[in-house]
Amino acid sequence: MRIDVVTLFPEWVGQLEQFGVVGRGLRESRLELACWNPRDDADNASGRVDDRPYGGGPGMVMQGPPLAATLERVKAARGHGVPVIMPSPQGQPFDQRQAQALAEGEGFVLVCGRYEGIDQRFVDAYVDKELSVGDVVLSGGELPAMMIIDAVARLLSGVLGDSRSAAQDSFVNGLLDHPHYTRPPRFAGRDVPDVLLSGDHARIERWRAQQALGATWRRRPDLLARCELDAAQKALLDGYIAGETDESDTHGGSRE
Ligand code: 9D3
């Protein structure tokens, strides 16, 4: 997988190479990352790549020609068929499904906007897909690009420490995760739920499934509405809603 990023902050985005799943994917040759600065393609000595908006209004707009020149350099380096993605508040929601689709390909180019946005003619002529990372106003496309890179990099086979993790990911099954516990057995006046110390793996699995269903029901009913529960899951959720979960299982009762 190779990811190219067109950005006015290449040093920032390039930091990804030093840490976490991207660093590991790079070191183990599963992933290549290259950053390209459109300032290097400015037609003026000062490196300006923005100008005032036609029609007036506040802020500045990124000009098409330098971005197009940079993108042509990227395509010359890695082929003209590569998908071009622009993080954009106007894009489709970026979700786990999008991350999985990107992870199955050979790579993509991310074009990061700054200021009020990018000249629409560049978007129309060069961008294949716009992706938004949520209904919140950020100051540019770099952090969304880094989110996309992180989400994709951790799906590349071998990057995950435990290959089972990807299939167990929250959202892959359309549900939130169950809670996690580790040592010590008593912390902050709270015990680990008894069920997790029972050694009964079938019971533990049921409890975790029920916790995941219950958390999704409580916190993200929108997610629950979109997933098809099987009979066993329906029964577990009904049990959760009816408060059938053993208090000591859920909240960690006192240990003997
Ligand atoms: C405050 C400026 N807005 C006009 C009223 C438009 C605007 C322009 C540029 C809003 C945000 C941005 C910069 N954001 C992104 O490039 C971006 C983004 C985001 O802000 N939220 C969620 N996902 C994304 S993906 C790229």
Side-chain angles (χ1 to χ4, degrees), residues 12-223:
W12 184 22
V13 178
Q15 294 285 316
L16 285 177
E17 297 192 348
Q18 295 177 40
F19 310 99
V21 287
V22 176
R24 182 155 167 227
L26 236 67
R27 284 195 301 278
E28 295 173 5
S29 305
R30 268 184 298 279
L31 181 62
E32 266 182 277
L33 184 67
C35 296
W36 308 73
N37 193 341
R39 256 186 233 299
D40 299 337
D41 293 294
D43 62 3
N44 53 81
S46 56
R48 272 193 61 176
V49 294
D50 64 321
D51 207 333
R52 292 171 300 155
Y54 280 123
M60 301 294 271
V61 177
M62 283 181 84
Q63 296 172 287
L67 283 171
T70 308
L71 192 56
E72 291 302 341
R73 287 199 289 129
V74 175
K75 288 181 169 182
R78 65 165 300 181
H80 284 259
V82 60
V84 177
I85 297 168
M86 182 173 94
S88 158
Q90 285 78 41
Q92 304 165 224
F94 177 65
D95 57 16
Q96 196 60 24
R97 194 183 295 265
Q98 299 268 359
Q100 281 167 335
L102 291 175
E104 282 163 21
E106 283 170 18
F108 48 90
V109 182
L110 290 162
V111 179
C112 303
R114 278 274 141 186
Y115 317 117
E116 289 304 300
I118 296 179
D119 189 304
Q120 188 60 37
R121 293 166 297 178
F122 173 86
V123 181
D124 294 342
Y126 292 97
V127 173
D128 298 309
K129 189 195 290 237
E130 297 176 57
L131 293 174
S132 166
V133 300
D135 295 336
V136 56
V137 180
L138 305 174
S139 57
E142 280 78 11
L143 280 172
M146 289 190 257
M147 282 179 56
I148 293 166
I149 293 166
D150 185 89
V152 171
R154 66 180 291 287
L155 291 177
L156 302 180
S157 59
V159 170
L160 290 176
D162 181 341
S163 59
R164 288 173 305 171
S165 301
Q168 289 184 1
D169 273 346
S170 172
F171 300 120
V172 169
N173 58 13
L175 298 173
L176 300 182
D177 206 356
H178 58 78
H180 300 265
Y181 297 86
T182 186
R183 293 193 295 174
R186 186 169 176 81
F187 165 66
R190 292 151 169 87
D191 289 318
V192 174
D194 288 325
V195 58
L196 298 180
L197 305 172
S198 68
D200 182 341
H201 293 291
R203 191 167 154 240
I204 290 168
E205 201 178 315
R206 270 198 311 280
W207 181 85
R208 285 179 169 164
Q210 185 169 50
Q211 291 295 311
L213 287 158
T216 311
W217 174 72
R218 263 189 208 295
R219 300 171 181 214
R220 292 294 304 276
D222 58 310
L223 290 180

